[in-house]
Amino acid sequence: MILVLAGTSDARELALRIKAAGYDLLTTVVTESAAKSMEEAGLPVQVGRLTAEDIRRLIEAKGVQAVVDASHPYAEEASKNAMAGASEAGVPYIRYERESLASPGHDKITVVEDYVQAAEVAAQKRGVIMLTTGSKTLKIFTDRLLGLPDTTLVARMLPRVDNMQKCEELGIEQKNIVAMQGPFSKELNKALYSHYGVTLMITKESGRAGAFDEKVEAALEMGIETIVIARPQIEYGTAFSDFDGVIGQLRELAAPAVG
């Protein structure tokens, strides 16, 4: 049995590859929508956030031979819990992370270390700011940007009830919420930037599968300044940015299921 921390489209494809290689597996995701995607692909799934202790117990209960962490590049807590849980249970940990795309060198791009720095830089620049970093860190930006003169914050996020409730609680007006499921094409990004009159876009360096290229290229072609939040710097140990590397490592660690 292989435990796969999933939730992204490339994580789902990796899980399918692991299954095709002959391994029994269990995927874990955080949201019901991600679970539905796994179920539709014929993958067993468990829903809910997991602590390190949760992961250790799951490993022991299911007889897990290895943990494959294919969580989002910015799911820092999930990765740390997976590493700790695997270590406590004494099983190998393998990290899969979509290949990083170096931010194109351009005078319109500012690369920052974290969300707080992104919000502080945005507060200096002001204007119509489109935030494409999700709801989890939304408060960091609303605390620093809402109420500033000559500043409008447009939040783009998944169309979920809890996200809309969070926007309301933090003071983002409905007219400034873009509730859509990505990934977005470059053309759609341009249309949204144009519709809202965006002068500054904030994004994470989420990789090609996260449509990073399309967001940034659209902004640059329209002369829109962009703040890119760099990925967390974590020492994963055994890590791969390709599916074959993960499968090859698994073959060294665990035999496929019989039958």
Side-chain angles (χ1 to χ4, degrees):
M1 171 72 74
I2 308 299
L3 180 63
V4 181
L5 275 69
T8 61
S9 59
D10 46 344
R12 182 183 66 245
E13 294 307 313
L14 173 58
L16 287 169
R17 285 280 300 273
I18 293 171
K19 181 180 178 181
Y23 292 95
D24 290 331
L25 77 161
L26 173 66
T27 64
T28 68
V29 298
V30 175
T31 66
E32 292 293 342
S33 61
K36 183 179 179 182
S37 176
M38 294 296 168
E39 290 168 351
E40 289 174 347
L43 296 166
V45 62
Q46 176 173 312
V47 186
R49 295 187 186 279
L50 298 174
T51 65
E53 179 63 15
D54 292 334
I55 291 172
R56 182 191 67 77
R57 289 175 179 171
L58 191 58
I59 290 170
E60 294 176 353
K62 299 289 186 181
V64 169
Q65 296 169 283
V67 174
V68 175
D69 174 15
S71 59
H72 193 277
Y74 288 79
E76 187 173 358
E77 183 179 355
S79 290
K80 288 181 177 179
N81 286 341
M83 284 187 281
S87 177
E88 290 170 12
V91 302
Y93 167 92
I94 304 169
R95 172 62 172 167
Y96 166 77
E97 186 168 287
R98 60 182 62 155
E99 187 175 2
S100 177
L101 297 175
S103 301
H106 198 286
D107 60 4
K108 292 287 186 182
I109 292 179
T110 302
V111 179
V112 298
E113 294 180 358
D114 55 28
Y115 297 96
V116 172
Q117 189 177 2
E120 290 172 348
V121 172
Q124 296 171 4
K125 293 180 178 294
R126 306 192 183 184
V128 179
I129 302 165
M130 178 169 281
L131 186 65
T132 68
T133 55
S135 64
K136 190 175 180 181
T137 56
L138 183 58
K139 190 174 188 299
I140 294 173
F141 294 95
T142 56
D143 283 351
R144 290 163 176 79
L145 299 174
L146 288 186
L148 286 178
D150 305 316
T151 302
T152 301
L153 182 62
V154 179
R156 191 171 92 182
M157 60 189 60
L158 291 172
R160 289 171 33 181
V161 173
D162 57 333
N163 285 348
M164 300 307 99
Q165 291 172 336
K166 179 175 284 189
C167 285
E168 182 177 4
E169 291 166 2
L170 294 175
I172 296 179
E173 297 182 71
Q174 288 184 12
K175 65 181 181 180
N176 293 329
I177 301 171
V178 182
M180 297 176 69
Q181 174 88 43
F184 301 84
S185 67
K186 183 166 70 172
E187 291 71 24
L188 182 51
N189 278 305
K190 283 186 170 183
L192 289 171
Y193 298 157
S194 176
H195 176 75
Y196 285 95
V198 173
T199 61
L200 175 66
M201 189 269 288
I202 303 176
T203 184
K204 296 180 287 189
E205 201 285 271
S206 50
R208 186 165 286 107
F212 172 77
D213 278 355
E214 288 80 358
K215 281 189 282 189
V216 175
E217 287 177 8
L220 294 182
E221 287 181 13
M222 296 179 68
I224 295 170
E225 289 194 78
T226 299
I227 297 173
V228 177
I229 302 169
R231 291 185 182 184
Q233 297 300 306
I234 301 175
E235 291 295 331
Y236 293 110
T238 303
F240 301 91
S241 60
D242 64 289
F243 295 166
D244 289 339
V246 175
I247 301 296
Q249 185 71 14
L250 284 177
R251 292 192 189 283
E252 293 184 14
L253 297 171
V258 177

